[in-house]
Amino acid sequence: MEEPPKGDLISEKDGGATFVLQSKGEWWHAGFHLTTAIVGPTILTLPYAFRGMGWELGLFCLTVMGVVTFYAYYLMSRVLHHCEKAHRRHIRFRELAADVLGSGWMFYFVIFIQTAINCGVGVGAILLAGQCLEILYSSISPHGSLKLYHFIAMVTVIMIVLSQLPTFHSLRHINLCSLVLSLGYTALVVGACIHAGMSKNAPLRDYSLEPRKSARAFSAFTSISILAAIFGNGILPEIQATLVPPAAGKMVKGLVMCYGVIGVTFYSAAVSGYWTFGNKSNSNIFKSLMPDDGPSLAPTWLLGLAVILVLLQLFAIGLVYSQVAYDIMEKKSADVNKEMFSKRNLVPRIILRTIYMIICGFVAAMLPFFGDINAVVGAIGFIPLDFVLPMLLYNITYKPPKSSSTYWVNISIMAVFTGVGIMGAFSSIRKLVLDANQFKLFDNDVVD
């Protein structure tokens, strides 16, 4: 178990800080990292989230989530900058929380939640990439013998190779490609949805919600949890750590770049998908566009190209969210007195990162329940980390007067999202239990 920080400065023997979280980046690199961390294939679940809320509540919650998360990440960047000016530079979320809120249980709470989120995203990226390969394979060979877990194994091998990129900063070019890929497949999916909605085979549009009020409320909170997971970014301090100090101004520019991409992709995917499929929207929009019981609703070449772009981006997402695990492993396993590519550091890096990826791949093959797990992770993980802690950290660090609007805005956000998180956790776990009879270990189908 990692110990809480006892000093103000980063340890000179900290291999994770020396190698994994090198501070060499510029603001646009932060923009690339942030975009990869937030704008991923999970946006293809936005029509499904709207299905549980309807047009008005869906657009309202999407907008509120965007505004609140931008504000939260801005506040966290300010807190990190404040600590840095006081000669207490923090490069990890858990150390920032332990410094501001006190060491002890808060340190272990943050490290547990953050590790669960990062491992969950890593597993999800491998699972979805395997599913993308399966979609391409089944379109070429409808009666082929390969199963989902075969493709997950292929993806895991590729991730093992890519995981040997030694530092977070070394992903900057990959994450620029990731940004372009997200714009590319969003444009293709939006075009496919519009084509499907205007074709002669267009599905009947029904935007009605659950008839019972209780079921409607549970669906709404589950959808809000999904939105929280989509907007979530549990690694902002680690991303800011990759920037050349002082990083606060650079981080704000990176956030503006990221949220510009979010504005383009999130709204277009949500609106076009829900407009076309309504309350029949699937948790993966590709499954709506390529139904099992009918013809494809968009040109095959277009959907195939979109799936390929999603597949390529998933490798980048898996790499970004693995950096926290690599930092934890190499904090003690690496020798900072040796070169990064010396035998002393290279061998443990290869072994530990390979083992980590194999574990993620095994879990992805064993538990293909992405839709339900996504909502649970959003409620239990991303909501406290991204919607509550940043406001608490800011209020404690800057101590705004209790008569100020900043203080009460922060308190209100914390209170509202604590309640939303509790209800979201209850409703998403409830759905997980209700869907349990569909879960089969090493199944060939991903449960919605």
Side-chain angles (χ1 to χ4, degrees):
M1 176 71 71
E2 186 177 351
E3 292 298 320
K6 294 181 174 60
D8 292 340
L9 301 177
I10 298 168
S11 170
E12 294 180 358
K13 297 181 179 180
D14 189 336
T18 303
F19 298 133
V20 180
L21 300 178
Q22 287 183 342
S23 304
K24 293 184 175 181
E26 299 298 335
W27 71 264
W28 52 89
H29 299 143
F32 304 159
H33 299 326
L34 286 164
T35 303
T36 301
I38 300 176
V39 186
T42 49
I43 66 174
L44 303 179
T45 66
L46 282 169
Y48 178 76
F50 271 47
R51 164 181 162 176
M53 296 184 289
W55 278 115
E56 294 81 4
L57 184 59
L59 288 169
F60 174 77
C61 288
L62 183 64
T63 303
V64 168
M65 288 287 190
V67 172
V68 171
T69 52
F70 182 91
Y71 177 67
Y73 300 149
Y74 170 73
L75 293 187
M76 195 184 304
S77 180
R78 290 279 308 277
V79 172
L80 286 163
H81 182 61
H82 182 276
C83 292
E84 185 177 322
K85 288 198 301 182
H87 306 291
R88 304 193 320 272
R89 181 170 179 255
H90 297 296
I91 62 174
R92 301 176 177 98
F93 204 142
R94 56 192 183 274
E95 293 171 359
L96 172 66
D99 180 22
V100 177
L101 303 176
S103 294
W105 73 268
M106 182 53 69
F107 177 82
Y108 296 112
F109 170 78
V110 171
I111 197 172
F112 172 78
I113 293 294
Q114 192 184 35
T115 301
I117 287 173
N118 285 275
C119 292
V121 173
V123 169
I126 292 175
L127 173 59
L128 289 179
Q131 189 183 21
C132 287
L133 280 178
E134 183 191 33
I135 290 172
L136 295 173
Y137 173 76
S138 58
S139 65
I140 297 171
S141 179
H143 305 291
S145 59
L146 296 181
K147 304 296 183 183
L148 177 61
Y149 60 84
H150 293 125
F151 299 106
I152 289 174
M154 296 176 195
V155 171
T156 302
V157 171
I158 297 172
M159 288 299 297
I160 288 172
V161 175
L162 293 175
S163 70
Q164 303 310 316
L165 289 168
T167 70
F168 204 150
H169 182 64
S170 65
L171 304 181
R172 63 195 182 281
H173 302 303
I174 290 177
N175 289 339
L176 169 59
C177 294
S178 170
L179 187 156
V180 175
L181 289 169
S182 67
L183 293 171
Y185 67 69
T186 299
L188 292 172
V189 167
V190 170
C193 288
I194 294 173
H195 180 276
M198 299 180 68
S199 70
K200 62 180 181 180
N201 295 321
L204 295 175
R205 294 188 185 90
D206 183 0
Y207 305 114
S208 61
L209 302 176
E210 297 275 1
R212 293 186 297 116
K213 289 185 178 180
S214 59
R216 193 181 307 172
F218 283 128
S219 296
F221 279 110
T222 300
S223 294
I224 291 171
S225 299
I226 292 172
L227 289 183
I230 293 172
F231 274 102
N233 168 24
I235 55 174
L236 186 137
E238 286 80 3
I239 291 175
Q240 184 155 323
T242 66
L243 296 173
V244 176
K250 300 183 182 75
M251 199 65 181
V252 173
K253 292 179 181 178
L255 280 168
V256 171
M257 174 194 286
C258 173
Y259 274 76
V261 177
I262 285 174
V264 171
T265 55
F266 281 34
Y267 282 93
S268 59
V271 170
S272 63
Y274 188 60
W275 172 76
T276 302
F277 298 104
N279 60 16
K280 298 296 187 293
S281 297
N282 199 284
S283 66
N284 185 335
I285 197 67
F286 286 131
K287 294 182 73 174
S288 298
L289 291 165
M290 294 183 285
D292 295 331
D293 55 354
S296 174
L297 299 178
T300 303
W301 67 266
L302 186 150
L303 294 175
L305 180 57
V307 170
I308 291 171
L309 298 186
V310 168
L311 170 64
L312 294 175
Q313 197 207 21
L314 283 165
F315 292 121
I317 293 171
L319 289 174
V320 163
Y321 277 94
S322 298
Q323 299 305 306
V324 172
Y326 301 159
D327 168 47
I328 292 172
M329 292 187 291
E330 295 182 28
K331 184 175 182 178
K332 296 291 178 65
S333 68
D335 185 346
V336 299
N337 297 313
K338 303 290 185 180
E339 293 294 326
M340 182 185 297
F341 293 101
S342 66
K343 184 178 179 180
R344 165 62 184 81
N345 288 325
L346 184 62
V347 172
R349 184 187 310 135
I350 291 174
I351 293 173
L352 290 173
R353 295 189 181 193
T354 299
I355 291 172
Y356 176 78
M357 282 301 169
I358 289 174
I359 292 172
C360 288
F362 181 79
V363 174
M366 185 173 65
L367 305 172
F369 319 140
F370 182 72
D372 287 347
I373 290 176
N374 196 29
V376 175
V377 169
I380 297 176
F382 282 116
I383 285 181
L385 219 57
D386 293 330
F387 294 84
V388 178
L389 270 179
M391 289 70 181
L392 179 61
L393 294 172
Y394 183 88
N395 278 4
I396 292 175
T397 300
Y398 282 92
K399 297 179 174 59
K402 291 186 178 180
S403 59
S404 67
S405 59
T406 300
Y407 177 85
W408 286 108
V409 165
N410 291 350
I411 291 294
S412 299
I413 292 173
M414 290 163 56
V416 168
F417 280 95
T418 297
V420 168
I422 293 170
M423 289 301 300
F426 180 77
S427 60
S428 50
I429 291 173
R430 171 182 172 271
K431 187 175 186 302
L432 196 67
V433 172
L434 291 175
D435 291 344
N437 62 340
Q438 302 179 52
F439 299 159
K440 298 177 183 177
L441 297 179
F442 300 99
D443 197 3
N444 195 49
D445 296 314
V446 177
V447 177
D448 292 334

